[in-house]
Amino acid sequence: MVRLDYKKTRSIVIKFSKLIPKYGDVLDLGCGSGNNSLFLAKRGFKVIAIDMSSKKLLELKNEAKKKSLLNKINIINANLNDFKFHKIYSAIISTNTLHFLQKNKVLEIIKNMKNFTIKNGLNIVSVFTKNGQLKSDKIHFFENEELKKLYNDWEILFYEEKLKPTIEKDFFGNPKKHEVASIVAKKI
């Protein structure tokens, strides 16, 4: 599977976490081993962390237990293709996950992310674009500015498309680079 290094909290989450309204929960879609979830829980947020990997969720649970954060993180094993939004959130985060879904499902999820975010709440999203060394028919590579256009009715606090190293290696053992589109948008 093609992915970035998930062993650290995304810098975009660290930078913009102070703008997340303190009331309400944070939803972390495709949380993996939960670095973003753990970071936000440590800062006092109640986090709902969703991923389809039982192994990654066990890593999150063990780390949350070590850091006495289990009471702050609700861990849910679910496939995003089947996930149903049921409540409103202060922020919804999905870093380097949505591109693994079919385009129609990605658009549905982003629509739901927007609809289930409180006024002045944030969506923080990172996805692969079509630019870079990675090739796969299992990934929805976003067009340039596609992610930004999906949030044209929100206040865009941050947007970039930047080449980043992945964990995939080229013939010489160097990390392959691929462009990632990242957005922080505030519901107005």
Side-chain angles (χ1 to χ4, degrees), residues 118-134:
I118 64 168
K119 185 176 182 183
N120 296 318
L122 301 183
N123 279 187
I124 301 174
V125 181
S126 296
V127 293
F128 287 141
T129 71
K130 64 180 183 172
N131 302 315
Q133 296 176 295
L134 302 178

Side-chain angles (χ1 to χ4, degrees), residues 88-128:
I88 304 294
Y89 299 92
S90 290
I92 302 177
I93 297 167
S94 183
T95 56
N96 306 316
T97 299
L98 293 178
H99 47 252
F100 291 112
L101 305 175
Q102 295 296 313
K103 183 175 183 173
N104 63 331
K105 192 62 181 179
V106 171
L107 297 176
E108 177 188 326
I109 288 174
I110 289 177
K111 180 181 175 185
N112 283 327
M113 288 172 67
K114 292 170 67 177
N115 288 337
F116 286 87
T117 301
I118 64 168
K119 185 176 182 183
N120 296 318
L122 301 183
N123 279 187
I124 301 174
V125 181
S126 296
V127 293
F128 287 141

